[in-house]
Amino acid sequence: MNGNGKGDGNGALEGAVVAVAGAAGPAGRATLLRLAEAGATVVASDANAARLAEAVDAARYAHGGATVTGDTVDLLDLGAAREWADKTEKEFGRIDGLVHLVGGWRGSKTFADTDLADWTLLEKLLIRTVQSTSLAFQDGLQRSDRGRYVLISAAGASNPTAGNAAYAASKAAAEAWTLALADAFRKAGGDEGPRSAAAILVVKALVHDAMRAERPNAKFAGFTDVKELADAIAGVWDQPAPEVNGKRLWLTPQP
């Protein structure tokens, strides 16, 4: 790390403008810190204004001089998402990334016990928010020389278990939607290949320090630490767009 609190090792993000949706949770906090460290301007959003403010302040404090802002945005509203994207590009002159961290989980002990109310909730959290952010940010990302749309998904989307039908189906739909965006980027690039990319980072589940403190004897086998996830997110910018566009990048063994 250099003297101004920004990292030296990720030139691809120096000066980039990256939006982070669902930024107030543990993964969001780690991602804000990592992007700020790499020299990006970070524009965070979350539905929880108080937790978002804490996350933004933490990233600013950790990396003096970093530009980190926060907005509460209703990502179930496409119009609100478009306003957020337009405001970001107008204010900072460009938009180089959207990291989608909006999460949620509901499940049951057996398939027969599945509550369709879980699907109603997860469809909003895990699919509608992807639809809104991808549609809102597509044009700006295509104008960028390093545009990236990054979805965080779960291995269960490819290998669903009986009690996770709603969750796995929601994640699978979000992946399919993101891969359609990737195809749009591919077509926009023409013969030269995509200039922007939509990529999917796949984890089994996430773990962070507070979880370990609460369950000191737990193994969390196969889980990805939120700091490792943040490194992987930053790493998507290190790779050329054609190499990551439309790809599932596995952070856990592929089922």
Side-chain angles (χ1 to χ4, degrees):
M1 186 172 296
N2 62 29
N4 66 6
K6 294 181 180 180
D8 303 296
N10 202 324
L13 277 165
E14 185 71 44
V17 179
V18 182
V20 180
R29 285 180 173 236
T31 299
L32 297 187
L33 288 168
R34 182 65 182 85
L35 295 173
E37 176 191 353
T41 291
V42 190
V43 183
S45 81
D46 200 274
N48 188 315
R51 292 177 64 208
L52 176 63
E54 291 176 3
V56 167
D57 286 347
R60 285 176 180 161
Y61 179 79
H63 302 292
T67 300
V68 186
T69 65
D71 283 305
T72 51
V73 183
D74 180 6
L75 295 179
L76 300 181
D77 180 344
L78 178 57
R82 289 192 193 279
E83 286 180 15
W84 182 40
D86 293 344
K87 172 186 172 185
T88 299
E89 192 170 8
K90 183 176 181 180
E91 182 172 350
F92 298 105
R94 57 188 298 131
I95 183 68
D96 303 296
L98 185 290
V99 179
H100 189 278
L101 291 169
V102 182
W105 180 83
R106 292 290 187 278
S108 56
K109 290 185 177 180
T110 68
F111 182 79
D113 289 333
T114 299
D115 184 347
L116 290 181
D118 292 346
W119 168 261
T120 301
L121 174 68
L122 294 172
E123 184 270 336
K124 292 177 181 177
L125 290 175
L126 304 183
I127 305 173
R128 290 268 297 283
T129 58
V130 170
Q131 293 170 332
S132 293
T133 53
S134 59
L135 290 168
F137 282 85
Q138 177 192 2
D139 287 347
L141 294 176
Q142 286 184 176
R143 285 189 285 269
S144 169
D145 59 352
R146 47 184 153 169
R148 300 287 187 273
Y149 185 97
V150 183
L151 176 74
I152 312 307
S153 191
S158 304
N159 189 27
T161 55
N164 275 318
Y167 178 76
S170 298
K171 282 293 192 182
E175 287 193 7
W177 191 275
T178 301
L179 294 175
L181 174 63
D183 192 53
F185 286 152
R186 180 187 63 80
K187 289 176 177 173
D191 293 340
E192 297 179 5
R195 294 174 68 242
S196 300
I200 300 166
L201 295 178
V202 186
V203 301
K204 175 182 177 181
L206 296 174
V207 63
H208 51 86
D209 290 344
M211 289 173 62
R212 293 191 180 95
E214 290 172 7
R215 300 170 57 193
N217 296 322
K219 300 290 187 185
F220 298 109
F223 284 40
T224 299
D225 190 277
V226 291
K227 297 183 186 74
E228 295 174 22
L229 175 66
D231 285 340
I233 289 169
V236 174
W237 273 266
D238 283 337
Q239 303 179 64
E243 293 185 13
V244 293
N245 188 49
K247 299 294 196 299
R248 291 181 178 89
L249 308 174
W250 289 80
L251 304 184
T252 189
Q254 186 171 347

Short mmCIF file of all heavy atoms in Angstrom, two decimals, residues 146-208:
data_model
loop_
_atom_site.label_atom_id
_atom_site.label_comp_id
_atom_site.label_asym_id
_atom_site.label_seq_id
_atom_site.Cartn_x
_atom_site.Cartn_y
_atom_site.Cartn_z
N ARG A 146 -13.49 -0.13 -19.39
CA ARG A 146 -13.22 -1.25 -18.48
C ARG A 146 -14.48 -1.61 -17.70
O ARG A 146 -14.41 -1.94 -16.51
CB ARG A 146 -12.08 -0.90 -17.53
CG ARG A 146 -12.22 0.49 -16.89
CD ARG A 146 -11.06 0.88 -16.02
NE ARG A 146 -10.90 2.31 -15.96
CZ ARG A 146 -10.10 2.96 -15.13
NH1 ARG A 146 -9.38 2.29 -14.26
NH2 ARG A 146 -10.01 4.27 -15.15
N GLY A 147 -15.62 -1.56 -18.34
CA GLY A 147 -16.88 -1.81 -17.66
C GLY A 147 -17.00 -3.26 -17.21
O GLY A 147 -16.71 -4.19 -17.97
N ARG A 148 -17.45 -3.44 -15.98
CA ARG A 148 -17.66 -4.78 -15.43
C ARG A 148 -18.95 -4.82 -14.62
O ARG A 148 -19.18 -3.96 -13.77
CB ARG A 148 -16.49 -5.20 -14.50
CG ARG A 148 -15.12 -5.23 -15.16
CD ARG A 148 -14.97 -6.41 -16.11
NE ARG A 148 -13.62 -6.52 -16.61
CZ ARG A 148 -13.16 -5.88 -17.70
NH1 ARG A 148 -13.97 -5.08 -18.37
NH2 ARG A 148 -11.91 -6.04 -18.10
N TYR A 149 -19.77 -5.83 -14.88
CA TYR A 149 -20.92 -6.15 -14.05
C TYR A 149 -20.58 -7.45 -13.35
O TYR A 149 -20.32 -8.46 -14.01
CB TYR A 149 -22.20 -6.30 -14.88
CG TYR A 149 -23.45 -6.51 -14.06
CD1 TYR A 149 -24.29 -5.44 -13.76
CD2 TYR A 149 -23.79 -7.76 -13.56
CE1 TYR A 149 -25.44 -5.61 -13.00
CE2 TYR A 149 -24.93 -7.94 -12.79
CZ TYR A 149 -25.74 -6.87 -12.52
OH TYR A 149 -26.88 -7.05 -11.75
N VAL A 150 -20.58 -7.45 -12.02
CA VAL A 150 -20.15 -8.63 -11.26
C VAL A 150 -21.29 -9.09 -10.37
O VAL A 150 -21.75 -8.36 -9.48
CB VAL A 150 -18.91 -8.30 -10.40
CG1 VAL A 150 -18.44 -9.56 -9.67
CG2 VAL A 150 -17.78 -7.72 -11.25
N LEU A 151 -21.76 -10.31 -10.60
CA LEU A 151 -22.80 -10.94 -9.78
C LEU A 151 -22.16 -11.94 -8.84
O LEU A 151 -21.29 -12.71 -9.25
CB LEU A 151 -23.81 -11.67 -10.68
CG LEU A 151 -24.90 -12.45 -9.94
CD1 LEU A 151 -25.93 -11.50 -9.34
CD2 LEU A 151 -25.57 -13.47 -10.87
N ILE A 152 -22.59 -11.94 -7.59
CA ILE A 152 -22.15 -12.96 -6.65
C ILE A 152 -23.24 -14.02 -6.59
O ILE A 152 -24.40 -13.72 -6.28
CB ILE A 152 -21.91 -12.38 -5.24
CG1 ILE A 152 -21.06 -11.10 -5.33
CG2 ILE A 152 -21.26 -13.43 -4.36
CD1 ILE A 152 -19.77 -11.24 -6.08
N SER A 153 -22.89 -15.25 -6.91
CA SER A 153 -23.86 -16.33 -6.92
C SER A 153 -23.41 -17.47 -6.00
O SER A 153 -22.39 -17.36 -5.31
CB SER A 153 -24.09 -16.85 -8.34
OG SER A 153 -25.21 -17.72 -8.38
N ALA A 154 -24.19 -18.52 -5.97
CA ALA A 154 -23.94 -19.63 -5.06
C ALA A 154 -23.87 -20.94 -5.83
O ALA A 154 -24.58 -21.13 -6.84
CB ALA A 154 -25.05 -19.71 -4.00
N ALA A 155 -23.05 -21.85 -5.33
CA ALA A 155 -22.91 -23.15 -5.97
C ALA A 155 -24.24 -23.88 -6.05
O ALA A 155 -24.47 -24.69 -6.96
CB ALA A 155 -21.89 -24.00 -5.22
N GLY A 156 -25.14 -23.59 -5.11
CA GLY A 156 -26.45 -24.23 -5.12
C GLY A 156 -27.27 -23.97 -6.36
O GLY A 156 -28.19 -24.73 -6.68
N ALA A 157 -26.95 -22.90 -7.10
CA ALA A 157 -27.68 -22.63 -8.34
C ALA A 157 -27.47 -23.74 -9.36
O ALA A 157 -28.33 -24.02 -10.19
CB ALA A 157 -27.24 -21.29 -8.92
N SER A 158 -26.28 -24.36 -9.31
CA SER A 158 -25.96 -25.45 -10.24
C SER A 158 -26.21 -26.82 -9.64
O SER A 158 -26.24 -27.81 -10.36
CB SER A 158 -24.48 -25.36 -10.65
OG SER A 158 -24.18 -24.11 -11.21
N ASN A 159 -26.37 -26.88 -8.32
CA ASN A 159 -26.53 -28.17 -7.64
C ASN A 159 -27.51 -28.01 -6.48
O ASN A 159 -27.14 -28.12 -5.32
CB ASN A 159 -25.15 -28.64 -7.13
CG ASN A 159 -25.19 -30.06 -6.62
OD1 ASN A 159 -26.01 -30.86 -7.04
ND2 ASN A 159 -24.30 -30.37 -5.69
N PRO A 160 -28.79 -27.75 -6.79
CA PRO A 160 -29.76 -27.43 -5.73
C PRO A 160 -30.06 -28.62 -4.83
O PRO A 160 -30.09 -29.77 -5.28
CB PRO A 160 -31.01 -26.99 -6.50
CG PRO A 160 -30.85 -27.59 -7.86
CD PRO A 160 -29.39 -27.66 -8.13
N THR A 161 -30.26 -28.32 -3.56
CA THR A 161 -30.65 -29.34 -2.60
C THR A 161 -32.14 -29.23 -2.30
O THR A 161 -32.78 -28.21 -2.59
CB THR A 161 -29.85 -29.19 -1.29
OG1 THR A 161 -30.02 -27.86 -0.79
CG2 THR A 161 -28.37 -29.44 -1.54
N ALA A 162 -32.71 -30.27 -1.71
CA ALA A 162 -34.15 -30.38 -1.56
C ALA A 162 -34.76 -29.21 -0.79
O ALA A 162 -35.85 -28.73 -1.12
CB ALA A 162 -34.50 -31.70 -0.86
N GLY A 163 -34.07 -28.75 0.23
CA GLY A 163 -34.63 -27.69 1.06
C GLY A 163 -34.34 -26.28 0.57
O GLY A 163 -34.76 -25.31 1.20
N ASN A 164 -33.61 -26.19 -0.52
CA ASN A 164 -33.19 -24.88 -1.04
C ASN A 164 -33.77 -24.58 -2.42
O ASN A 164 -33.15 -23.86 -3.20
CB ASN A 164 -31.67 -24.80 -1.11
CG ASN A 164 -31.05 -24.39 0.21
OD1 ASN A 164 -31.57 -23.50 0.89
ND2 ASN A 164 -29.96 -25.05 0.59
N ALA A 165 -34.94 -25.10 -2.71
CA ALA A 165 -35.50 -24.95 -4.06
C ALA A 165 -35.67 -23.48 -4.43
O ALA A 165 -35.28 -23.05 -5.52
CB ALA A 165 -36.84 -25.69 -4.16
N ALA A 166 -36.28 -22.69 -3.55
CA ALA A 166 -36.54 -21.29 -3.88
C ALA A 166 -35.24 -20.51 -4.03
O ALA A 166 -35.10 -19.71 -4.96
CB ALA A 166 -37.43 -20.66 -2.80
N TYR A 167 -34.32 -20.74 -3.11
CA TYR A 167 -33.05 -20.02 -3.16
C TYR A 167 -32.25 -20.39 -4.41
O TYR A 167 -31.75 -19.51 -5.13
CB TYR A 167 -32.24 -20.33 -1.90
CG TYR A 167 -30.88 -19.67 -1.86
CD1 TYR A 167 -30.76 -18.32 -1.58
CD2 TYR A 167 -29.73 -20.40 -2.12
CE1 TYR A 167 -29.51 -17.70 -1.54
CE2 TYR A 167 -28.48 -19.80 -2.07
CZ TYR A 167 -28.38 -18.46 -1.80
OH TYR A 167 -27.15 -17.86 -1.76
N ALA A 168 -32.12 -21.69 -4.68
CA ALA A 168 -31.33 -22.13 -5.82
C ALA A 168 -31.95 -21.66 -7.13
O ALA A 168 -31.24 -21.22 -8.05
CB ALA A 168 -31.20 -23.65 -5.82
N ALA A 169 -33.27 -21.73 -7.22
CA ALA A 169 -33.93 -21.29 -8.44
C ALA A 169 -33.77 -19.78 -8.65
O ALA A 169 -33.59 -19.32 -9.78
CB ALA A 169 -35.42 -21.65 -8.39
N SER A 170 -33.80 -19.03 -7.57
CA SER A 170 -33.61 -17.58 -7.67
C SER A 170 -32.20 -17.27 -8.14
O SER A 170 -31.99 -16.41 -9.01
CB SER A 170 -33.87 -16.92 -6.32
OG SER A 170 -35.19 -17.12 -5.89
N LYS A 171 -31.23 -17.94 -7.56
CA LYS A 171 -29.84 -17.71 -7.96
C LYS A 171 -29.61 -18.13 -9.41
O LYS A 171 -28.88 -17.47 -10.16
CB LYS A 171 -28.89 -18.47 -7.03
CG LYS A 171 -28.68 -17.82 -5.67
CD LYS A 171 -27.94 -16.50 -5.82
CE LYS A 171 -27.44 -15.95 -4.49
NZ LYS A 171 -26.76 -14.64 -4.66
N ALA A 172 -30.21 -19.24 -9.82
CA ALA A 172 -30.05 -19.70 -11.20
C ALA A 172 -30.65 -18.68 -12.17
O ALA A 172 -30.08 -18.41 -13.24
CB ALA A 172 -30.71 -21.06 -11.37
N ALA A 173 -31.79 -18.12 -11.82
CA ALA A 173 -32.40 -17.11 -12.68
C ALA A 173 -31.53 -15.86 -12.76
O ALA A 173 -31.38 -15.26 -13.83
CB ALA A 173 -33.79 -16.75 -12.14
N ALA A 174 -30.96 -15.46 -11.63
CA ALA A 174 -30.07 -14.29 -11.63
C ALA A 174 -28.84 -14.54 -12.51
O ALA A 174 -28.37 -13.64 -13.23
CB ALA A 174 -29.65 -13.95 -10.20
N GLU A 175 -28.32 -15.75 -12.46
CA GLU A 175 -27.19 -16.10 -13.32
C GLU A 175 -27.58 -16.02 -14.79
O GLU A 175 -26.84 -15.46 -15.61
CB GLU A 175 -26.68 -17.51 -12.99
CG GLU A 175 -25.93 -17.61 -11.67
CD GLU A 175 -25.18 -18.93 -11.54
OE1 GLU A 175 -25.13 -19.71 -12.52
OE2 GLU A 175 -24.61 -19.19 -10.46
N ALA A 176 -28.73 -16.59 -15.13
CA ALA A 176 -29.18 -16.56 -16.53
C ALA A 176 -29.35 -15.13 -17.02
O ALA A 176 -28.97 -14.79 -18.16
CB ALA A 176 -30.49 -17.34 -16.67
N TRP A 177 -29.90 -14.27 -16.18
CA TRP A 177 -30.09 -12.87 -16.55
C TRP A 177 -28.74 -12.20 -16.79
O TRP A 177 -28.57 -11.45 -17.75
CB TRP A 177 -30.87 -12.16 -15.45
CG TRP A 177 -31.33 -10.78 -15.84
CD1 TRP A 177 -30.62 -9.62 -15.77
CD2 TRP A 177 -32.61 -10.44 -16.39
NE1 TRP A 177 -31.37 -8.58 -16.23
CE2 TRP A 177 -32.60 -9.04 -16.62
CE3 TRP A 177 -33.76 -11.17 -16.70
CZ2 TRP A 177 -33.70 -8.36 -17.15
CZ3 TRP A 177 -34.85 -10.49 -17.23
CH2 TRP A 177 -34.82 -9.12 -17.45
N THR A 178 -27.78 -12.48 -15.92
CA THR A 178 -26.45 -11.89 -16.06
C THR A 178 -25.75 -12.40 -17.32
O THR A 178 -25.05 -11.65 -18.00
CB THR A 178 -25.61 -12.21 -14.81
OG1 THR A 178 -26.28 -11.68 -13.66
CG2 THR A 178 -24.22 -11.61 -14.89
N LEU A 179 -25.94 -13.67 -17.65
CA LEU A 179 -25.33 -14.21 -18.87
C LEU A 179 -25.97 -13.60 -20.12
O LEU A 179 -25.30 -13.44 -21.15
CB LEU A 179 -25.47 -15.73 -18.89
CG LEU A 179 -24.68 -16.46 -17.79
CD1 LEU A 179 -24.98 -17.96 -17.82
CD2 LEU A 179 -23.18 -16.21 -17.93
N ALA A 180 -27.24 -13.22 -20.03
CA ALA A 180 -27.87 -12.50 -21.15
C ALA A 180 -27.25 -11.12 -21.32
O ALA A 180 -27.04 -10.65 -22.45
CB ALA A 180 -29.38 -12.39 -20.92
N LEU A 181 -26.95 -10.45 -20.21
CA LEU A 181 -26.23 -9.18 -20.28
C LEU A 181 -24.86 -9.38 -20.91
O LEU A 181 -24.42 -8.57 -21.75
CB LEU A 181 -26.09 -8.58 -18.87
CG LEU A 181 -25.23 -7.31 -18.75
CD1 LEU A 181 -25.83 -6.15 -19.54
CD2 LEU A 181 -25.05 -6.93 -17.28
N ALA A 182 -24.19 -10.46 -20.54
CA ALA A 182 -22.89 -10.76 -21.13
C ALA A 182 -22.99 -10.92 -22.64
O ALA A 182 -22.12 -10.46 -23.40
CB ALA A 182 -22.31 -12.04 -20.50
N ASP A 183 -24.06 -11.55 -23.10
CA ASP A 183 -24.25 -11.71 -24.55
C ASP A 183 -24.49 -10.36 -25.22
O ASP A 183 -24.03 -10.13 -26.34
CB ASP A 183 -25.42 -12.66 -24.82
CG ASP A 183 -25.48 -13.09 -26.27
OD1 ASP A 183 -24.45 -13.56 -26.80
OD2 ASP A 183 -26.55 -12.91 -26.90
N ALA A 184 -25.19 -9.47 -24.52
CA ALA A 184 -25.38 -8.12 -25.06
C ALA A 184 -24.04 -7.40 -25.19
O ALA A 184 -23.78 -6.71 -26.19
CB ALA A 184 -26.33 -7.32 -24.15
N PHE A 185 -23.17 -7.54 -24.19
CA PHE A 185 -21.84 -6.95 -24.28
C PHE A 185 -21.05 -7.56 -25.44
O PHE A 185 -20.33 -6.85 -26.16
CB PHE A 185 -21.07 -7.16 -22.97
CG PHE A 185 -21.53 -6.31 -21.81
CD1 PHE A 185 -21.38 -6.76 -20.50
CD2 PHE A 185 -22.09 -5.06 -22.02
CE1 PHE A 185 -21.77 -5.97 -19.43
CE2 PHE A 185 -22.49 -4.27 -20.95
CZ PHE A 185 -22.33 -4.73 -19.65
N ARG A 186 -21.18 -8.88 -25.62
CA ARG A 186 -20.46 -9.55 -26.71
C ARG A 186 -20.92 -9.01 -28.06
O ARG A 186 -20.10 -8.69 -28.94
CB ARG A 186 -20.70 -11.06 -26.64
CG ARG A 186 -20.00 -11.86 -27.74
CD ARG A 186 -20.40 -13.32 -27.72
NE ARG A 186 -21.82 -13.51 -27.98
CZ ARG A 186 -22.37 -13.51 -29.19
NH1 ARG A 186 -21.62 -13.28 -30.26
NH2 ARG A 186 -23.66 -13.72 -29.34
N LYS A 187 -22.22 -8.87 -28.22
CA LYS A 187 -22.75 -8.38 -29.50
C LYS A 187 -22.37 -6.93 -29.74
O LYS A 187 -22.08 -6.52 -30.87
CB LYS A 187 -24.26 -8.57 -29.53
CG LYS A 187 -24.67 -10.03 -29.64
CD LYS A 187 -26.17 -10.23 -29.57
CE LYS A 187 -26.50 -11.71 -29.78
NZ LYS A 187 -27.95 -11.99 -29.56
N ALA A 188 -22.35 -6.13 -28.68
CA ALA A 188 -21.98 -4.72 -28.82
C ALA A 188 -20.52 -4.56 -29.23
O ALA A 188 -20.15 -3.59 -29.91
CB ALA A 188 -22.23 -3.96 -27.52
N GLY A 189 -19.68 -5.53 -28.85
CA GLY A 189 -18.26 -5.44 -29.17
C GLY A 189 -17.93 -5.80 -30.60
O GLY A 189 -16.87 -5.43 -31.10
N GLY A 190 -18.81 -6.54 -31.25
CA GLY A 190 -18.58 -6.91 -32.64
C GLY A 190 -17.37 -7.79 -32.82
O GLY A 190 -17.02 -8.59 -31.95
N ASP A 191 -16.70 -7.61 -33.95
CA ASP A 191 -15.57 -8.47 -34.29
C ASP A 191 -14.40 -8.32 -33.32
O ASP A 191 -13.59 -9.24 -33.17
CB ASP A 191 -15.09 -8.17 -35.71
CG ASP A 191 -16.10 -8.57 -36.76
OD1 ASP A 191 -16.98 -9.41 -36.45
OD2 ASP A 191 -16.04 -8.03 -37.89
N GLU A 192 -14.30 -7.18 -32.67
CA GLU A 192 -13.17 -6.95 -31.76
C GLU A 192 -13.39 -7.59 -30.40
O GLU A 192 -12.47 -7.60 -29.57
CB GLU A 192 -12.95 -5.44 -31.59
CG GLU A 192 -12.56 -4.74 -32.87
CD GLU A 192 -12.37 -3.25 -32.67
OE1 GLU A 192 -12.46 -2.79 -31.51
OE2 GLU A 192 -12.14 -2.55 -33.66
N GLY A 193 -14.58 -8.12 -30.16
CA GLY A 193 -14.87 -8.75 -28.88
C GLY A 193 -15.38 -7.73 -27.88
O GLY A 193 -15.29 -6.51 -28.10
N PRO A 194 -15.94 -8.20 -26.78
CA PRO A 194 -16.56 -7.28 -25.81
C PRO A 194 -15.54 -6.35 -25.15
O PRO A 194 -14.46 -6.77 -24.77
CB PRO A 194 -17.19 -8.22 -24.79
CG PRO A 194 -16.40 -9.49 -24.89
CD PRO A 194 -16.02 -9.59 -26.33
N ARG A 195 -15.91 -5.08 -25.01
CA ARG A 195 -15.09 -4.12 -24.28
C ARG A 195 -15.47 -4.11 -22.80
O ARG A 195 -14.67 -3.73 -21.95
CB ARG A 195 -15.27 -2.71 -24.86
CG ARG A 195 -14.75 -2.56 -26.26
CD ARG A 195 -15.09 -1.19 -26.84
NE ARG A 195 -14.36 -0.12 -26.16
CZ ARG A 195 -14.93 0.87 -25.49
NH1 ARG A 195 -16.25 0.90 -25.35
NH2 ARG A 195 -14.20 1.82 -24.92
N SER A 196 -16.72 -4.49 -22.52
CA SER A 196 -17.21 -4.61 -21.16
C SER A 196 -17.56 -6.07 -20.89
O SER A 196 -17.67 -6.86 -21.83
CB SER A 196 -18.44 -3.72 -20.94
OG SER A 196 -18.11 -2.36 -21.18
N ALA A 197 -17.73 -6.41 -19.62
CA ALA A 197 -17.95 -7.81 -19.28
C ALA A 197 -18.94 -7.95 -18.14
O ALA A 197 -19.00 -7.11 -17.24
CB ALA A 197 -16.63 -8.48 -18.89
N ALA A 198 -19.71 -9.02 -18.20
CA ALA A 198 -20.56 -9.44 -17.09
C ALA A 198 -20.06 -10.80 -16.63
O ALA A 198 -19.99 -11.74 -17.43
CB ALA A 198 -22.03 -9.53 -17.51
N ALA A 199 -19.68 -10.89 -15.36
CA ALA A 199 -19.10 -12.12 -14.83
C ALA A 199 -19.80 -12.52 -13.55
O ALA A 199 -20.40 -11.69 -12.85
CB ALA A 199 -17.60 -11.92 -14.56
N ILE A 200 -19.74 -13.81 -13.24
CA ILE A 200 -20.39 -14.38 -12.06
C ILE A 200 -19.33 -15.01 -11.17
O ILE A 200 -18.57 -15.89 -11.61
CB ILE A 200 -21.42 -15.45 -12.48
CG1 ILE A 200 -22.50 -14.83 -13.37
CG2 ILE A 200 -22.05 -16.10 -11.25
CD1 ILE A 200 -23.35 -15.86 -14.10
N LEU A 201 -19.25 -14.55 -9.93
CA LEU A 201 -18.38 -15.18 -8.94
C LEU A 201 -19.22 -16.15 -8.12
O LEU A 201 -20.24 -15.75 -7.54
CB LEU A 201 -17.74 -14.13 -8.03
CG LEU A 201 -16.77 -13.15 -8.69
CD1 LEU A 201 -16.26 -12.14 -7.67
CD2 LEU A 201 -15.60 -13.88 -9.32
N VAL A 202 -18.80 -17.40 -8.06
CA VAL A 202 -19.60 -18.44 -7.41
C VAL A 202 -18.94 -18.88 -6.11
O VAL A 202 -17.77 -19.27 -6.10
CB VAL A 202 -19.79 -19.66 -8.34
CG1 VAL A 202 -20.75 -20.66 -7.69
CG2 VAL A 202 -20.31 -19.23 -9.70
N VAL A 203 -19.70 -18.81 -5.02
CA VAL A 203 -19.22 -19.27 -3.72
C VAL A 203 -20.15 -20.37 -3.20
O VAL A 203 -21.28 -20.51 -3.67
CB VAL A 203 -19.15 -18.12 -2.70
CG1 VAL A 203 -18.23 -17.01 -3.20
CG2 VAL A 203 -20.54 -17.57 -2.40
N LYS A 204 -19.67 -21.13 -2.24
CA LYS A 204 -20.56 -22.05 -1.51
C LYS A 204 -21.39 -21.25 -0.53
O LYS A 204 -22.62 -21.35 -0.47
CB LYS A 204 -19.74 -23.11 -0.78
CG LYS A 204 -20.57 -24.03 0.10
CD LYS A 204 -19.69 -25.03 0.84
CE LYS A 204 -20.50 -25.91 1.78
NZ LYS A 204 -19.63 -26.87 2.52
N ALA A 205 -20.71 -20.46 0.26
CA ALA A 205 -21.32 -19.54 1.22
C ALA A 205 -20.21 -18.61 1.68
O ALA A 205 -19.03 -18.84 1.41
CB ALA A 205 -21.92 -20.30 2.41
N LEU A 206 -20.59 -17.55 2.37
CA LEU A 206 -19.61 -16.57 2.83
C LEU A 206 -19.43 -16.64 4.34
O LEU A 206 -20.36 -17.00 5.07
CB LEU A 206 -20.06 -15.15 2.45
CG LEU A 206 -20.14 -14.87 0.94
CD1 LEU A 206 -20.75 -13.49 0.70
CD2 LEU A 206 -18.76 -14.98 0.28
N VAL A 207 -18.26 -16.29 4.79
CA VAL A 207 -17.97 -16.27 6.22
C VAL A 207 -17.22 -14.98 6.53
O VAL A 207 -16.49 -14.45 5.68
CB VAL A 207 -17.16 -17.51 6.66
CG1 VAL A 207 -15.79 -17.54 5.99
CG2 VAL A 207 -17.04 -17.57 8.18
N HIS A 208 -17.41 -14.45 7.74
CA HIS A 208 -16.70 -13.25 8.15
C HIS A 208 -16.35 -13.37 9.62
O HIS A 208 -16.75 -14.32 10.30
CB HIS A 208 -17.53 -11.99 7.87
CG HIS A 208 -18.93 -12.05 8.40
ND1 HIS A 208 -19.26 -11.70 9.69
CD2 HIS A 208 -20.09 -12.43 7.81
CE1 HIS A 208 -20.56 -11.85 9.87
NE2 HIS A 208 -21.09 -12.30 8.75
#
